Amino acid sequence: MNVSVPLPLLSVFFVTGSDPYDCYVADFLKTKISSFTLVKSGREALSLLRGEKPDIIITNRYLPDMNGLDFAERIRELSAELPLVIVTGDSDIQTLQRAIDIGVSKYLIKPLECEAVLKTLLELGASVQRKKLLKEDEKLLREYKNAFDAATIITKTDKEGIITYVNEEFVKISGYAREELIGLSHSIIRHPDTPIAVFIDMWRTIKAKKIWKGRIKNRTKNGGFYIVDATIVPILDSNEEVDEYLAIRQDVTRLIELEEKERQKLEQKLAQDHHLELVEEVNKAKTSFLLIFTHELKTPLNAIINFSDYLRREIGKTDLSNGEKLANLAGLIRENGYDMLNTVTTLLDLAKLQSHRLVIQSATFDLGDLIRSQVERSSSLIHQNKITVTINASASRVKIMNDPERVRQIFSNIFSNAIKYGGEKIAISYDEEGDYFWLSVEDNGPGIKNREGIFELFNQGGEDDLTRSSKGTGIGLYFVKTFCDHLGLSVSAGSSATLGGALFSVRGPILFHPKGTV
């Protein structure tokens, strides 16, 4: 990557004596470089270097108080990387060889041409800028890794599942020393409560170069356990073949235990009294759990997403040999963060809805723009799973009045299901009919075997409903149905006549007038 550095941004020392032509060149450079210092001796230059750090030094071969090559050696003792240019009328081999041995960056033969000197400074300045950007990106990558390590449990394995890296959080939660884990199979932490079918599905997915997500119960060294929500990402080499696997986990043990305690307490109450007032107690308990859940996860998720966005932008500014690979990884982190954040937001909105504290914000918006924006946000997952998405609309623009954020969440959940459970084709269609609009999402996946109860809470489809094993939370379609009911919309599930997979349709009035807080 070519880096063009404006000369006024460079800081240059020109160390020379009273040579008239050197002074002429110096006067020329002063007009091009704002931070330009003309130094009349080697000792003066060395004194100035105690407080100032120029980007480039130009020195004459012969200085009033010392040999220019001796001066260059003194500079190299102070800095091995500072660009150094020697100006001389000598062209003998011995002088040139000594300059090379010292590590001089450029060797200019007199008489000097102003434009040639200017070109040399521009080339060296570009090199200086590239090194600065590289150091900044290396620092950024270290800070990002530290932040990510502190917020998540991370391991890497080779293609056979042999552990090659564990972070400190994994060491803490597993109870094993790092030396006890490196070189062993990941099965060392397998808990017998986790069904073997989970691991079969996991390996089938990641060997197909797709991301796997699921909940796993692991065993600690002392015989205890912990539960994690895991995301396993295949890392591909330059030939698009699997090179290794990166596993990112969130510890949800405390949340699961809290949920179990709440369930047991509610079962005891329900066993004592089946009065309808206890139903309201159940809803309050669910809301309490959801609020705790979102509080635990939403803040670190926002931090991870913002950090990955910043990383992707910074990687694009410099010349990293593995920049594309790092950018793709940052994109996957970002998309998975958005996926988890969407689940957390969904839970929080459901809690607000159940406690009658959710405010519907109605506005006029373009349905097509909303759809395209959401598809773009999922671009990394679409690319990772090699999915082709088509958007069909008869009308050029379909503008509706409703709550744009809630409609976006409804579409996001339906579209996310198509990515998770569908095949390699997804078709999105929308249009208006009189005073109504409609929206459909269909795919060429295995489809829905049993539609009964598909919109119920924590119904993930399972083996009775979907031929492909579930990887969702069981909340999305319940959320879709609940919010459609409150936004004057209807939703249905069926089979696609064109693609053969699942078909989800949403229909509603173009103008919806909410009643305020629901």
Side-chain angles (χ1 to χ4, degrees), residues 131-297:
K131 289 179 180 179
K132 285 183 178 179
L133 291 173
L134 183 58
K135 286 183 179 180
E136 290 173 1
D137 281 336
E138 288 175 347
K139 181 176 181 293
L140 176 65
L141 287 170
R142 287 195 300 271
E143 291 177 351
Y144 179 78
K145 180 181 180 299
N146 292 338
F148 203 55
D149 275 342
T152 54
I153 302 164
I154 300 173
T155 61
K156 287 200 302 182
T157 70
D158 63 15
K159 294 184 290 187
E160 307 303 323
I162 302 302
I163 299 172
T164 58
Y165 170 81
V166 296
N167 73 341
E168 187 62 28
E169 292 302 308
F170 187 87
V171 171
K172 289 178 183 178
I173 198 168
S174 69
Y176 287 94
R178 184 174 279 101
E179 296 75 17
E180 295 178 284
L181 295 166
I182 302 298
L184 295 182
S185 170
H186 232 296
S187 59
I188 189 176
I189 59 169
R190 181 179 297 176
H191 196 284
D193 286 354
T194 302
I196 190 67
V198 171
F199 299 103
I200 293 174
D201 175 66
M202 178 192 74
W203 277 107
R204 182 171 58 244
T205 302
I206 61 178
K207 282 186 175 181
K209 306 174 186 177
K210 296 182 178 180
I211 295 173
W212 183 87
K213 297 180 183 180
R215 180 165 288 176
I216 299 177
K217 186 175 184 178
N218 288 332
R219 181 175 56 191
T220 63
K221 183 178 180 180
N222 63 7
F225 72 91
Y226 58 97
I227 302 171
V228 295
D229 280 342
T231 298
I232 302 179
V233 182
I235 306 302
L236 308 183
D237 60 20
S238 58
N239 296 319
E240 294 297 309
E241 296 298 329
V242 175
D243 184 46
E244 59 183 353
Y245 299 108
L246 175 68
I248 306 165
R249 306 173 186 84
Q250 290 285 341
D251 180 16
V252 295
T253 309
R254 193 166 75 88
L255 298 174
I256 299 300
E257 291 174 346
L258 175 61
E259 183 182 28
E260 179 61 23
K261 288 180 181 179
E262 292 293 332
R263 186 186 65 78
Q264 291 176 1
K265 287 168 61 177
L266 292 173
E267 285 181 351
Q268 291 174 1
K269 288 184 179 181
L270 289 171
Q272 296 171 0
D273 187 1
H274 293 284
H275 194 274
L276 291 178
E277 289 182 355
L278 288 181
V279 175
E280 187 175 349
E281 290 281 335
V282 172
N283 290 333
K284 288 181 179 179
K286 286 181 180 179
T287 301
S288 175
F289 168 71
L290 294 175
L291 291 173
I292 293 173
F293 182 85
T294 54
H295 176 75
E296 289 286 326
L297 289 184

Side-chain angles (χ1 to χ4, degrees), residues 385-430:
N385 291 286
K386 296 180 174 62
I387 296 173
T388 300
V389 179
T390 58
I391 301 176
N392 308 303
S394 299
S396 58
R397 301 186 76 83
V398 176
K399 290 197 172 183
I400 65 175
M401 174 182 273
N402 211 306
D403 189 326
E405 177 58 21
R406 308 305 168 199
V407 173
R408 184 198 64 77
Q409 289 175 291
I410 289 170
F411 172 74
S412 174
N413 276 281
I414 294 175
F415 185 58
S416 176
N417 272 1
I419 294 175
K420 292 175 185 175
Y421 306 119
E424 69 276 7
K425 293 181 181 179
I426 298 176
I428 304 168
S429 304
Y430 65 95

Side-chain angles (χ1 to χ4, degrees), residues 11 20 30 46 70 72 93 102 195 208 220 263 292 301 304 306 313 335 365 367 380 395 398 403 407 436 474 490 518:
S11 172
K30 285 180 182 179
L46 291 171
D70 292 339
I93 297 300
I102 293 171
T220 63
R263 186 186 65 78
I292 293 173
L301 281 174
I304 290 172
N306 290 336
R313 290 194 302 269
E335 293 299 337
F365 61 96
L367 183 61
S380 292
V398 176
D403 189 326
V407 173
Y436 290 84
S490 62
V518 296

Side-chain angles (χ1 to χ4, degrees), residues 363-376:
T364 300
F365 61 96
D366 189 293
L367 183 61
D369 289 346
L370 182 146
I371 291 170
R372 285 185 288 272
S373 173
Q374 195 61 34
V375 170
E376 177 62 24

